[in-house]
Structure formats: C-alpha cells, structure tokens
Amino acid sequence: MSRFLNFSIFRYNPATPEIPPRMQDFQLDETPNMSLFIALNRLREEQDPSLMFDFVCRAAVCGSCAMLINGRPGLACKTLTQDLPDKITLMPLPVFKLVGDLSVDTGVWFRGLNENLEAWIHTDKPFDPQGLEDRMDNPTAHAIYDAERCIECGSCIAACATANMRADFIGAAGLNRVARFLIDPRDERQPYQVFEVVGTDEGVFGCIGLMACDDICPMEIPLQQQLALVRRKMALASLKGK
Amino acid sequence: MKWSDAHLTDVLVIGAGLAGERVAIEAATQGHQVTILSLVPPRRSHSTAAQGGMQASLGNVAMGYGDNPDIHFADTVKGSDWGCDQEVARLFCNLAPVAVRQMAQWGVPWSRVVPGKRLLPEGVEVEELQEKAGLIAQRQFGGTAKWRTCFAADGTGHVLQYAMDSVVVKLGVTVHDRMEAIALIHDGEHCYGAVALSLRDGSLRPYLAKAVVIATGGYGRIYGVSTNAVINEGTGMSICLDTGVVPLGNMEAVQFHPTGIVPAGILVTEGCRGDGGYLLDKNLHRFMPDYEPVKKEVASRDVVSRWMLHHMSKGLGVDSPYGPHLWLDIRHLGKEHICVNLREVHAICANFLGIDCVEELIPVRPTQHYSMGGIRTDVNGAAYGLQGLFAAGEAACWDLHGFNRLGGNSLAETIVAGMVVGEQVARYAGERSLEFPFALVADAMAAQEDRVSKLRSRSGGSEDVYRLRKGMEDALLNNVGIFRTGEALEKAVSILQELYQRSANIRLRSSGLGPNPELYAALRLPGTLKLALCIAQGALQRTESRGSHYREDYPHRDDENWLKRTLAYWPPGADMPRLEYEPVKITELPPGDRGYGGMPIKGD
C-alpha cells in the first residue's frame, strides 16, 4: 500500500524578511525506495520551485545534506521515507548560519575550525620528488583512515549540547580531527603543542559527556573512542609538559 | 554595480575539486594571490566521491613488479583507443608517481604493502616481498598490464581532497564557496576574469585576474541517469563555449561505467572487479570470460559496458521494476576484505540497496560516468582561443584520455594536471600585470544582470525549466548512449535543437529572489543544452567507432579518416555548434590492436 506523506518543512528566505520564518505543509505520494533526496527534489520540481536544500553526491559521502529529520540530525540523501512515519518534519541544522529553508552554511564553519586547529600535516621535511615514499605500517594507515572518514556534515555539532550553548566549542568533528593528526606519525607536532590549542573548555574539556555525537554520526565514526583518546593524550601532556 | 565590489586577484580558479585546488596550491606557493570560486565547499566537491584509486607506476606489489611509466603509457594509449595526445600521456605517466608520493607527504593515508603470501580469488598465489613492506599498496584496475592503482581503502578521492584542502587552508588561499561563474569577461583575445553569481543571495559580482583557470569537472548530470554528483552540469565548459572562440574537444567521448547500482545510479568502484569480483547474469553465469577470455571483467570500461548491454540484449539480464540489470558478485572476496578495502561499497549497498554485499549480489548496470571531452587545451593547460584562460581536470580536454579513460587515471590526472597547469599559470601570471577593462566588465555585468532581471520579472514565455531539463536528460539517455546509430543521433539533435530554442522562453514559477534554485536552473539550462548539442552533433558526424563512441552503423575504428579530434565551437547567435577537426598527436605508439574488445559488438 502506498502512503501519502505529510511533510512539514521549515521555510525562510532572507531576501524576503517581511515573510517570517514558518513551517509549510506539503503532501506527496510515496514511491518504493523513496529517499528524502528524491522526495525533496519532487517537491521542488512539482510543487514549490523556490524550496532551498543542499545535495551534492546524493550517495552519503559528501556531507552536504544534513538536516533535522523529525528532530534528529542525519543525512537526507540516505534517509528512506519507508523508515519514517507518514508525518515528516524537516528543519535546518542548528548552530550553523542559515542560507535559506533547509540550507545552512557548514563550509565556512568547518574552514574556520580547520584553520583554528591547524588541521594539516606539520613537518619540516622537504619533499623529494625523486625519492621513495616514507614507509608506514598498514594498521596505522587504517587507523588514520578511520578518523579521516569524517565528511564534515555537521550532524555531531548540531546534536551537541555544548556546541548549541557555546559557539566556540570545536565539537566531536573537531576532536576527531585532532585525533587524526595525533596518531599520524608524519605530523611532527608534540602533544603539548596540541594541548595549547585544545586543552581548554572550547576544546577537549568542554564536552559534558552526553555523547549524542557518537549516536548519530552518519559515518559511524567511533567518536566516543576518539574523544577518549584525545582526552587521555591531553591529560598526559598537561602533566608532562614539554 | 560599484567598481569596489569587484574582486581582484592574481589567479582565479573556478572549481575547488582536486584539479582546481592543486592549481591553486602551485600558484599560491609561487607567491601569487589566488581566489577559488566553488559551487560548494571544497570538501563537498565531486572529487571526494572517487572510490577506487589513482594510477602511478610504483611497482610496489607482486602483481605490479617491473612496472614503469612506459607500461603505464602504453596502457593509457590503448585505453584511449589511440585518441589521446601522446605528448600529454607521456608527461602524465612520468609525473604520476611524484604526485602520489607528494600526496603521501601531505597526509593521505594510502593503504600499505603487507608482506607475505596470499591467494588471489582465481587461485593464483602471490608473495609480497619484505623489502616492499610499508610502501604504498596498489590494486588492479581495468585495461592495465600491471597492478598500479594506489588506494586508501575505497575512499581514495575523499582522503585526497581532504589532504589537498588541508594545504589550501594552510596556505590561506581565499575560497568563495556557493559562487558560480556564469560568464567569462573577455575581448575575444584575452580572458580578464568572470562574472559570478552568488548562490547565497542571487547577487552578481565581477572577478578580475591575470589568469583564469576552469576546473569545474564534468557534465554527467545532463544525462538523466549518471553516477555524478548533482552539481556536475558542465557549467565551466559552457561558459567557455559561450565565448564563441574557445572550442570543446571530443564532446562525443562519454564514458559509461559498468557498475552503477540499480536504480540509484550510484557508483560502486571498479576496485570490486579489480580485487576479483565477477559479473553474473540472470542464470548466475559469469559471462565476461565468454567475451574477453584474457581480460575478463577487467577489460577497459567501454568494452565491459558494451558486453554487458550486449549480454542483456540477449535476454540474459535480470528483470526488475527499473529495467534489466546484471549482478556484481564480490561475496567470494570475503568479509574481511570487503569490510576493509571495500568498506564504502559495503556502506553504499547497505544505505541505498538495503543489502549486505558480503552475503548478497549487487544489482548493476552501465551508467554515465565521465566526460573525456571538455575545454580543449594545449599540453600546458592553456585553452585554445583565449590568452589567460586555462583548464585542468575533467573539465579540460588536455587530452589524456582520448575516447576512453582508464579507471584510476582521472584522480591521477586531476593532481598531475594541477601540478603542470599550475606551474604554467604561475609563470603566465608572473609575466602579466592585472588589468581592469572597465567597459568590458560593465558590459559583461550588464548582460548577466539583464538575464537575471528578465527571469525575475517573469515577463517571458511560458516554458518550465524542469520540464525542459527532463527533455534534455531523456534525449541524451535514450539516443546518445553506449550503442549509437545515425538515426537515433539525428533524433537527439533535433529534440535538443527544439529544447534550446524553447529555453529562451523560460518563465519562473517562483519569484527568483534570494537563493532561488529555480533561477539558478534557468540560468544554467541554455548552456547545458549547448553542451548536449555538441555531444550529439559530434557523435552524429563521427562515422566510426573508437573507444566509448560506438556506432552500430560504423562498427570499426577508421584511422584513415578519423584519427582526429573534434573541436566544437559555438558562434555567437548560432543555433548549432560548428565542428572542426585537428590531428591527434602520435609520438611513440602508432595505432594498433588494443588487446581487448576486438570484434564488433552488437547492441539490441
């Protein structure tokens, strides 16, 4: 039996501030294997061409389409309507600046985060185009890959109580990024140098342990473990110093 | 417009995928101010979706020992069906190992060689040597004599893009995301910059630079079903075509990847077959060895895709509500291999098919994937027709790929081309001073402001942008696919011509104010229809079969008449492209047999 889905979608266009933010209702017939990617595009093409939302890869690898789906942050492209009740409420992610309707500006936020964390390999070693690559054991490569799988979708930030209260908290995505560089032997930063950046309430000690990030990460990155790793390393670094 | 709204920079890079960011890094490292425009934040670029890997002849694994740039070169030329520029292919193959190793230094967690013996799926035992332990591992991809594809599990594009962008952040390169270049500022000889549309608020802004680089990727989304991200509409190519003086090369060369999942069209990597996966028909028969006894599932993509369609045309496809498909079987690779080296494929199957590919078969069908054609450039990446304009990556026809690209050569191309073209861009920008041609800028801005305000006034005709776009997608999908005929191509051209005329009469249903997706679609559509016409008309005129361009009515390669590259120009005000041709540069390897896909293959 096909269902009629009742969508309630947040609407606001900054170009028309005289129309206040509101929820708008739409109806759509459900088709087999319908994802929110398919549903939202149909709503735009068939019912309201001004509806704003972001999709890029539609394959759950680019991180563009995170939104609040019945109150829970997640990637719209991989959310199937068959897994939802027939009343579906869609809201933009909190914390991030609103572009319009369901579209938020995660790009500028994450660029700022990566600048603050200096999230790149710090090394004084010059690159030798003629030389072989430095060796690395495969389990280390896999461990870095595990952390590097973060797609910066912002779900963990939107779900985080601290990030919602404290604009400068780096959140699980930031802490996971710190972990990624801490375990990378190519990065020559010492733990005490990292401590100077994240050994604060805006960093690793701001987490109040609700762990919603770990529950909702669409990439299923073990954020709780990553957070624990960073906390342990930072606690040690604060004791040991230089 | 206030003059002070103009953004001035030394180098303007349009597109923030791997090619664009690598160009930007090269130019910035050499002291230039660089600004990148991108439809989306860089880390959301379609480069991130590349899964399987990047070819470079390191010779690190047992099945790749003895590899070198010469073998990589021969594979690439054969893969291209002798359509590529051999000077470019040589340069590329020599530099690919440097590119891979530099990306390692920048943080890519390449999978690494683990020494010891192991059994390959077909029963061959190989031994990885201790002396190679910890070097970058390599897997098999199609159409290659050696295992050469470097990988990081099957998220290679993602980790490359994150490492590349980390260097962009480190260097402090300016990125303006949610900005779309919608016209080039030029006088028919020089390119001075671009008019860009803000996708945040619908406003227009001119960007002026000494050198402009187009790195906007492919146009896959103009086909109704494609593995490409939804942003891949070929916008960079169409603004070059709009100049009237910059040609697009070989637009008829369109790659269909053998394994898009059905029905979503999402890619599962060639690494599935490279690592030993099989293609099965409805009787669970492994059919590729029947057609390609030597290469089997790992012939080049054009060949495997053709055999798959041929096999389905014999009634051996699996019926589904979404039309016939075949099966990809990776179950015998084992859970450990799948959950480590093919983990993103495992996730895609779970998310979009609801299956566990460790236990179940994956429904697949050849799906539009890549554009070999694009903005024609010389070996330095300089576009034909306008000084100061460059292109790199999938947006360009540098021409590394000719009529068929090998898997693993596109990630490698983005980075190698980024290095090479970036160097040339830096040199060019170093020799020029920044110009602000006021009249040209004012005219270019006025022309685009006029387009936007006409659409917002809703005074034009009555055409719906989404309906026209659907017509274009269907025309290409149904008539300009894997098996082509003169009749179908003529039909496509005539449908597309009509749609192009009608695209001048689009009327918005919404206000077009603010960040309005209908306005953006309406501004893009005439340009994408021009690209579609270049593809269809190029394919109609090319009366031979070469690589991915397969004409059932001309099923053989014709080197005597067609060892040449199509150049499509769009004269101002014209309703069709003007096609010219140039010879293909053969420097080392004269045309010969590819070693696979040798006989004429029939469609349905």
Side-chain angles (χ1 to χ4, degrees):
Chain A
M1 256 310 267
S2 73
R3 295 187 297 176
F4 261 93
L5 301 174
N6 294 293
F7 286 89
S8 177
I9 298 178
F10 176 85
R11 301 301 307 269
Y12 181 68
N13 183 346
T16 51
E18 66 279 10
I19 306 172
R22 67 204 183 282
M23 299 302 290
Q24 187 177 350
D25 293 338
F26 296 93
Q27 278 77 44
L28 198 64
D29 58 302
E30 188 174 34
T31 54
N33 284 317
M34 181 188 259
S35 63
L36 288 180
F37 168 70
I38 294 169
L40 283 167
N41 275 289
R42 274 190 59 196
L43 288 179
R44 177 189 282 175
E45 292 177 18
E46 297 169 14
Q47 301 190 30
D48 188 339
S50 69
L51 185 60
M52 290 173 262
F53 49 78
D54 294 319
F55 288 99
V56 178
C57 75
R58 59 79 173 92
V61 296
C62 81
S64 299
C65 64
M67 58 183 70
L68 293 186
I69 303 160
N70 286 343
R72 198 179 161 88
L75 298 181
C77 71
K78 72 165 187 175
T79 301
L80 300 180
T81 55
Q82 69 196 28
D83 298 329
L84 299 172
D86 58 13
K87 167 101 174 129
I88 300 170
T89 302
L90 301 178
M91 303 270 284
L93 287 189
V95 181
F96 301 98
K97 186 179 177 209
L98 184 74
V99 175
D101 298 345
L102 299 173
S103 173
V104 295
D105 191 345
T106 49
V108 167
W109 194 94
F110 274 100
R111 166 93 183 211
L113 175 76
N114 287 311
E115 284 171 355
N116 287 345
L117 297 178
E118 300 191 7
W120 55 81
I121 297 282
H122 288 56
T123 178
D124 292 326
K125 200 177 167 193
F127 175 62
D128 172 12
Q130 308 308 321
L132 283 183
E133 63 272 25
D134 288 343
R135 290 170 199 257
M136 179 184 282
D137 66 89
N138 203 39
T140 302
H142 283 158
I144 298 168
Y145 183 81
D146 281 343
E148 190 82 317
R149 289 178 75 241
C150 169
I151 55 175
E152 298 189 348
C153 66
S155 293
C156 63
I157 306 300
C160 173
T162 309
N164 274 277
M165 294 182 295
R166 180 192 276 278
D168 49 7
F169 181 54
I170 64 172
L175 290 163
N176 177 64
R177 188 67 65 202
V178 171
R180 179 248 174 274
F181 287 97
L182 274 174
I183 61 174
D184 193 326
R186 294 167 294 197
D187 194 316
E188 291 165 357
R189 275 176 290 190
Q190 297 304 308
Y192 77 86
Q193 292 172 294
V194 180
F195 179 78
E196 285 169 8
V197 182
V198 299
T200 61
D201 282 356
E202 294 78 42
V204 70
F205 301 116
C207 169
I208 53 174
L210 300 177
M211 301 321 296
C213 53
D214 192 83
D215 291 342
I216 56 92
C217 174
M219 300 302 286
E220 297 178 4
I221 296 171
L223 293 169
Q224 194 165 349
Q225 280 175 39
Q226 300 287 54
L227 173 74
L229 180 139
V230 178
R231 288 183 91 123
R232 276 201 307 273
K233 291 226 177 204
M234 290 303 97
L236 266 177
S238 70
L239 294 172
K240 279 162 82 177
K242 289 191 186 179
Chain B
M1 180 201 56
K2 294 203 297 284
W3 294 119
S4 57
D5 289 343
H7 181 91
L8 309 182
T9 185
D10 292 322
V11 175
L12 179 66
V13 179
I14 301 170
L18 283 169
E21 287 209 323
R22 188 62 187 80
V23 168
I25 288 167
E26 197 62 35
T29 305
Q30 300 200 22
H32 295 293
Q33 293 179 36
V34 182
T35 299
I36 304 178
L37 304 185
S38 177
L39 300 178
V40 296
R43 296 180 186 203
R44 316 234 185 273
S45 302
H46 188 49
S47 296
T48 62
Q51 298 166 5
M54 166 169 178
Q55 284 207 44
S57 56
L58 307 180
N60 283 348
V61 294
M63 295 296 283
Y65 291 158
D67 199 10
N68 60 49
D70 296 342
I71 304 174
H72 188 186
F73 172 83
D75 286 343
T76 300
V77 174
K78 288 176 191 170
S80 80
D81 219 353
W82 277 269
C84 74
D85 182 310
Q86 295 192 7
E87 188 186 353
V88 167
R90 170 52 70 182
L91 176 71
F92 162 79
C93 294
N94 289 350
L95 278 174
V98 180
V100 164
R101 289 173 175 140
Q102 186 167 48
M103 292 312 298
Q105 176 127 355
W106 287 349
V108 168
W110 295 114
S111 296
R112 300 290 175 145
V113 174
V114 179
K117 289 182 180 170
R118 65 193 174 111
L119 206 58
L120 302 181
E122 290 208 64
V124 181
E125 190 183 71
V126 296
E127 181 173 8
E128 304 298 344
L129 298 177
Q130 188 62 43
E131 68 189 68
K132 300 283 190 186
L135 295 178
I136 294 168
Q138 298 177 284
R139 62 164 38 129
Q140 176 176 230
F141 257 39
T144 62
K146 300 281 184 184
W147 289 26
R148 178 187 300 131
T149 303
C150 309
F151 61 98
D154 57 347
T156 315
H158 170 87
V159 295
L160 284 168
Q161 179 84 53
Y162 272 58
M164 193 73 87
D165 192 56
S166 79
V167 179
V168 165
V169 174
K170 174 185 169 186
L171 295 172
V173 172
T174 302
V175 177
H176 290 180
D177 68 22
R178 294 182 190 259
M179 288 297 281
E180 176 172 346
I182 61 169
L184 292 176
I185 300 169
H186 70 99
D187 59 8
E189 286 178 9
H190 275 95
C191 182
Y192 298 97
V195 176
L197 172 74
S198 166
L199 304 180
R200 291 167 194 274
D201 60 14
S203 63
L204 294 171
R205 184 178 190 189
Y207 286 74
L208 280 298
K210 298 173 186 173
V212 176
V213 187
I214 311 277
T216 50
Y219 53 66
R221 276 286 153 177
I222 72 177
Y223 277 78
V225 182
S226 169
T227 65
N228 284 194
V230 299
I231 54 173
N232 291 35
E233 295 185 84
T235 50
M237 295 183 198
S238 67
I239 63 173
C240 289
L241 192 63
D242 284 342
T243 63
V245 292
V246 177
L248 304 181
N250 281 347
M251 290 297 279
E252 63 270 33
V254 182
Q255 179 165 84
F256 288 77
H257 194 291
T259 58
I261 62 170
V262 179
I266 295 168
L267 179 76
V268 291
T269 173
E270 185 158 312
C272 294
R273 285 171 291 129
D275 289 2
Y278 304 142
L279 291 169
L280 308 180
D281 65 16
K282 70 175 185 186
N283 302 318
L284 304 187
H285 169 64
R286 184 187 173 196
F287 59 91
M288 277 307 295
D290 304 344
Y291 300 120
E292 296 289 338
V294 180
K295 300 300 284 185
K296 305 185 181 92
E297 282 87 354
V298 287
S300 60
R301 290 176 178 172
D302 56 332
V303 170
V304 176
S305 289
R306 272 197 291 278
W307 285 127
M308 289 170 76
L309 250 66
H310 170 77
H311 200 68
M312 286 194 283
S313 75
K314 296 202 294 194
L316 293 165
V318 183
D319 289 325
S320 85
Y322 307 99
H325 64 76
L326 293 159
W327 298 116
L328 173 64
D329 183 5
I330 59 172
R331 297 171 300 177
H332 54 287
L333 303 184
K335 183 170 184 171
E336 193 188 331
H337 182 94
I338 292 170
C339 293
V340 175
N341 285 341
L342 296 169
R343 64 189 287 180
E344 309 305 340
V345 166
H346 190 255
I348 285 169
C349 289
N351 288 336
F352 298 97
L353 294 166
I355 64 164
D356 177 1
C357 62
V358 173
E359 308 277 344
E360 292 169 270
L361 300 170
I362 308 169
V364 294
R365 181 160 67 207
T367 307
Q368 195 288 340
H369 181 60
Y370 189 82
S371 39
M372 276 74 74
I375 301 152
R376 179 67 185 130
T377 72
D378 65 15
V379 66
N380 296 324
Y384 285 20
L386 280 182
Q387 289 182 51
L389 180 66
F390 297 81
E394 190 177 351
C397 180
W398 192 24
D399 200 359
L400 173 62
H401 310 301
F403 277 78
N404 175 69
R405 171 175 72 73
L406 292 183
N409 263 358
S410 68
L411 278 182
E413 183 198 16
T414 59
I415 298 172
V416 173
M419 294 159 67
V420 172
V421 178
E423 176 79 35
Q424 296 298 327
V425 166
R427 193 185 53 76
Y428 181 89
E431 290 167 358
R432 284 184 65 84
S433 53
L434 189 59
E435 293 182 46
F436 199 130
F438 290 94
L440 275 181
V441 175
D443 288 352
M445 284 291 288
Q448 298 309 316
E449 276 162 358
D450 186 53
R451 291 180 69 205
V452 171
S453 63
K454 273 195 178 134
L455 284 165
R456 284 194 183 131
S457 73
R458 292 191 276 179
S459 56
S462 57
E463 299 288 355
D464 178 77
V465 61
Y466 296 113
R467 194 165 300 163
L468 296 187
R469 195 175 76 184
K470 183 78 167 60
M472 170 184 72
E473 293 171 358
D474 290 348
L476 288 171
L477 200 61
N478 297 332
N479 303 300
V480 199
I482 293 174
F483 289 102
R484 301 171 174 183
T485 64
E487 194 184 351
L489 292 169
E490 278 174 13
K491 188 172 161 194
V493 168
S494 103
I495 296 171
L496 292 167
Q497 273 188 298
E498 190 209 321
L499 292 170
Y500 179 62
Q501 303 290 344
R502 290 167 62 190
S503 72
N505 300 316
I506 291 171
R507 181 190 176 91
L508 299 187
R509 283 182 277 146
S510 61
S511 68
L513 296 174
N516 182 287
E518 190 186 22
L519 174 77
Y520 304 155
L523 287 168
R524 265 174 222 142
L525 189 66
T528 47
L529 279 161
K530 285 181 177 177
L531 299 182
L533 274 162
C534 290
I535 295 165
Q537 180 69 358
L540 176 62
Q541 295 304 317
R542 184 174 284 271
T543 50
E544 66 152 356
S545 290
R546 183 182 298 275
S548 65
H549 172 69
Y550 193 88
R551 287 283 298 259
E552 286 188 276
D553 39 0
Y554 298 93
H556 296 281
R557 199 175 80 200
D558 177 1
D559 290 326
E560 200 171 314
N561 295 302
W562 285 102
L563 194 57
K564 55 190 184 186
R565 183 176 299 112
T566 309
L567 298 178
Y569 291 85
W570 200 285
D575 59 358
M576 279 289 280
R578 184 183 81 237
L579 302 187
E580 294 181 10
Y581 295 91
E582 67 174 5
V584 172
K585 195 178 283 176
I586 308 285
T587 55
E588 297 183 47
L589 194 61
D593 178 36
R594 302 173 89 188
Y596 44 79
M599 54 185 281
I601 301 172
K602 285 265 175 272
D604 47 13

